[in-house]
Amino acid sequence: VRHFTQELEELNQRLLQMGGLVEATIHRSVRSLVERNSALAEQVIRDEPEINDMEIQIDSLTTRLLARQQPVAKDLRFLTAAMKINTDLERMGDLAVNIAERALSLLAQPPVKPMIDIPRMAVLVESMLLNSLDAFVNADEAKARSVLMSDDEVDLLRDAVYGELVDYMQKDPTVVRSAVDLIFVARNLERIGDHATNIAEDVVFFVKGVDVRHHAEEKMHQN
Amino acid sequence: VRHFTQELEELNQRLLQMGGLVEATIHRSVRSLVERNSALAEQVIRDEPEINDMEIQIDSLTTRLLARQQPVAKDLRFLTAAMKINTDLERMGDLAVNIAERALSLLAQPPVKPMIDIPRMAVLVESMLLNSLDAFVNADEAKARSVLMSDDEVDLLRDAVYGELVDYMQKDPTVVRSAVDLIFVARNLERIGDHATNIAEDVVFFVKGVDVRHHAEEKMHQN
């Protein structure tokens, strides 16, 4: 029988490995869009089953550790955080597949406009994902909180993308279909950022035992 | 000290109560849209903090039960399912708030078209939610599987809504802003259906100990 610590380390490694694949997938999905490269989009779609398998493996490892080790306090918080982070990572993979599908749909239409804000959103949410995972494996509360601060910036970029695309559609009905695809890409990137925020909140809870979702912290201080 | 069974019953009750509020919230958000009624939309936005509080309470009850009762097998699966269902319900509440916000934005613009498919999608996803929760509290695998079957129907309705709205925008650029709002409403309803599907998958896993996510079952049979 292996040590609990070793098994927790294995769980950490698996989450990092999954996070790495999810990050690569998000990156590829946006590159396929910007470079109008269908091969990259197809790779994203092809890699999805691997992410799904990883989710199932991690879930079953976590459940096994909960059952066999009967952890309490911080170890228990680690395992429940791992379970939630696993779900968030898998959903991020789904969102990258949505982006890849939009990229393929956009390839069949002429380009609408130069891509500026969408790649910028992508850089931001990818760094949120990497920082939130880094915060998790290093139990680094400060880094987790820095991820929470990036969320407003993502929303600002999304608003800029929406506003501009609505203008384009109003001026030129022939771009409607492409513009709707791009609006969904921006929406999917925003949601990837939301999942990174969820992960960061789970990290703070795991490290401190304090729930920062829905500003529960401020409410506690007020009471 | 109360009995574990009693505490599980309390968890069940709380999830049902939260599910009831989430379902009412989805219903109100779509009614606010169809009836162009801002008061209903505002109620949805006002009720969100209550759903968030419920999520935090249920999460903390579940974590406490995991720590104190050290459950195994089906009880452990019940608790991990409860934890995931809790997250899904909270996200559904967020999506209803998004719909309410779109409804308010639409009120400031002239109506685009008669609403037919969107209310139909709403009826379908609300019944998916109720059936998935019912399946959970009654450990009813057949009912959970019936929810999984409704997913394709939701996707068909969504495609109908998208196609029609893209046509409207191409013909009349003045409806672009409203049509984009409605596309997001359809997307939010689709995602509410996805969360109901997640719940149903968690119920099958809880009842049978079999993971039906990502068609893991078929893969197992193939191997």
Side-chain angles (χ1 to χ4, degrees):
Chain A
V1 179
R2 283 183 307 157
H3 249 258
F4 187 37
T5 321
Q6 270 179 309
E7 295 192 296
L8 292 181
E9 190 44 44
E10 184 189 334
L11 182 55
N12 246 336
Q13 287 311 315
R14 282 188 186 221
L15 277 170
L16 278 187
Q17 200 189 349
M18 181 175 177
L21 180 57
V22 168
E23 197 269 336
T25 290
I26 296 166
H27 194 73
R28 258 179 224 121
S29 70
V30 176
R31 267 187 61 207
S32 77
L33 182 79
V34 174
E35 301 172 9
R36 296 177 73 82
N37 177 334
S38 64
L40 285 170
E42 282 150 11
Q43 188 184 345
V44 168
I45 293 165
R46 226 173 25 243
D47 283 345
E48 199 205 5
E50 191 179 341
I51 295 174
N52 295 342
D53 284 345
M54 286 174 162
E55 185 200 10
I56 292 181
Q57 299 297 329
I58 289 171
D59 222 22
S60 111
L61 175 60
T62 314
T63 309
R64 218 159 56 228
L65 290 176
L66 278 171
R68 269 202 274 134
Q69 304 288 352
Q70 313 279 354
V72 292
K74 198 160 179 185
D75 285 341
L76 176 59
R77 292 204 305 273
F78 176 84
L79 289 174
T80 55
M83 190 168 268
K84 289 177 184 185
I85 290 170
N86 188 29
T87 304
D88 281 308
L89 288 175
E90 190 272 333
R91 303 266 161 93
M92 287 166 140
D94 284 348
L95 293 165
V97 169
N98 290 351
I99 293 173
E101 286 168 350
R102 297 282 166 186
L104 290 175
S105 154
L106 283 159
L107 272 174
Q109 307 154 46
V112 184
K113 62 180 281 290
M115 301 271 181
I116 297 164
D117 286 333
I118 284 180
R120 202 175 287 165
M121 275 183 91
V123 168
L124 187 59
V125 301
E126 281 171 48
S127 89
M128 287 170 74
L129 167 56
L130 293 177
N131 284 330
S132 66
L133 287 175
D134 201 43
F136 181 62
V137 294
N138 296 308
D140 182 341
E141 188 198 347
K143 183 163 267 182
R145 288 188 187 269
S146 78
V147 172
L148 303 181
M149 316 256 269
S150 307
D151 212 30
D152 292 342
E153 206 179 327
V154 175
D155 291 350
L156 286 176
L157 282 170
R158 172 212 56 195
D159 289 343
V161 172
Y162 284 5
E164 200 180 8
L165 289 169
V166 166
D167 279 354
Y168 272 88
M169 287 192 276
Q170 284 169 338
K171 282 179 197 143
D172 176 6
T174 66
V175 303
V176 163
R177 196 167 289 273
S178 301
V180 168
D181 280 330
L182 288 173
I183 283 179
F184 272 114
V185 169
R187 177 75 179 131
N188 286 325
L189 287 173
E190 181 198 357
R191 288 184 53 212
I192 289 174
D194 289 344
H195 284 289
T197 300
N198 293 341
I199 294 176
E201 288 169 343
D202 287 334
V203 172
V204 176
F205 181 69
F206 148 55
V207 177
K208 298 277 284 184
V210 168
D211 203 324
V212 287
R213 291 173 303 179
H214 321 303
H215 311 283
E217 229 178 337
E218 290 127 66
K219 258 188 245 163
M220 265 169 44
H221 289 303
Q222 280 160 14
N223 290 344
Chain B
V1 180
R2 285 182 308 160
H3 247 257
F4 187 39
T5 321
Q6 270 179 306
E7 295 192 296
L8 291 181
E9 190 44 44
E10 185 190 332
L11 181 56
N12 245 336
Q13 286 311 314
R14 282 189 187 221
L15 277 169
L16 278 187
Q17 200 189 349
M18 181 174 175
L21 181 56
V22 169
E23 196 269 335
T25 290
I26 297 166
H27 194 74
R28 257 179 226 121
S29 70
V30 176
R31 268 187 60 210
S32 78
L33 182 80
V34 175
E35 300 173 9
R36 296 178 71 83
N37 177 333
S38 64
L40 286 170
E42 282 151 12
Q43 189 184 344
V44 168
I45 294 165
R46 223 172 27 241
D47 283 346
E48 199 205 5
E50 191 178 341
I51 295 175
N52 294 342
D53 284 346
M54 286 173 159
E55 185 200 12
I56 291 180
Q57 299 296 330
I58 290 171
D59 222 23
S60 109
L61 175 60
T62 314
T63 309
R64 217 160 55 229
L65 291 176
L66 279 171
R68 268 202 274 135
Q69 304 288 350
Q70 312 280 355
V72 292
K74 199 163 178 183
D75 285 340
L76 175 60
R77 292 204 305 272
F78 176 83
L79 289 175
T80 55
M83 189 166 270
K84 290 176 183 184
I85 290 170
N86 188 28
T87 304
D88 280 309
L89 288 175
E90 191 272 333
R91 304 264 161 95
M92 287 165 140
D94 284 347
L95 294 165
V97 170
N98 290 350
I99 294 173
E101 286 168 349
R102 297 283 167 187
L104 291 175
S105 152
L106 283 159
L107 272 173
Q109 307 153 46
V112 185
K113 62 180 280 290
M115 301 269 179
I116 297 164
D117 286 332
I118 284 180
R120 203 176 284 163
M121 275 183 90
V123 168
L124 187 58
V125 301
E126 281 171 50
S127 89
M128 287 169 75
L129 167 57
L130 293 176
N131 283 330
S132 65
L133 288 175
D134 201 43
F136 181 61
V137 295
N138 295 308
D140 182 342
E141 187 197 349
K143 183 162 268 183
R145 287 187 187 271
S146 79
V147 172
L148 302 181
M149 316 258 267
S150 306
D151 212 31
D152 291 342
E153 208 180 324
V154 175
D155 291 349
L156 285 176
L157 283 170
R158 173 212 54 194
D159 289 343
V161 172
Y162 284 6
E164 201 181 5
L165 288 169
V166 166
D167 278 355
Y168 272 88
M169 287 192 277
Q170 284 168 338
K171 281 178 198 142
D172 176 5
T174 66
V175 303
V176 162
R177 196 166 289 274
S178 301
V180 168
D181 280 330
L182 288 172
I183 283 179
F184 273 112
V185 169
R187 176 75 179 131
N188 286 325
L189 287 172
E190 181 198 357
R191 288 184 52 212
I192 289 173
D194 288 343
H195 284 289
T197 300
N198 293 341
I199 294 176
E201 287 169 343
D202 288 332
V203 172
V204 176
F205 180 69
F206 149 56
V207 177
K208 296 279 282 183
V210 168
D211 203 324
V212 287
R213 291 173 304 178
H214 320 303
H215 311 283
E217 229 177 340
E218 289 128 67
K219 256 188 248 166
M220 266 168 43
H221 287 304
Q222 282 162 11
N223 290 345

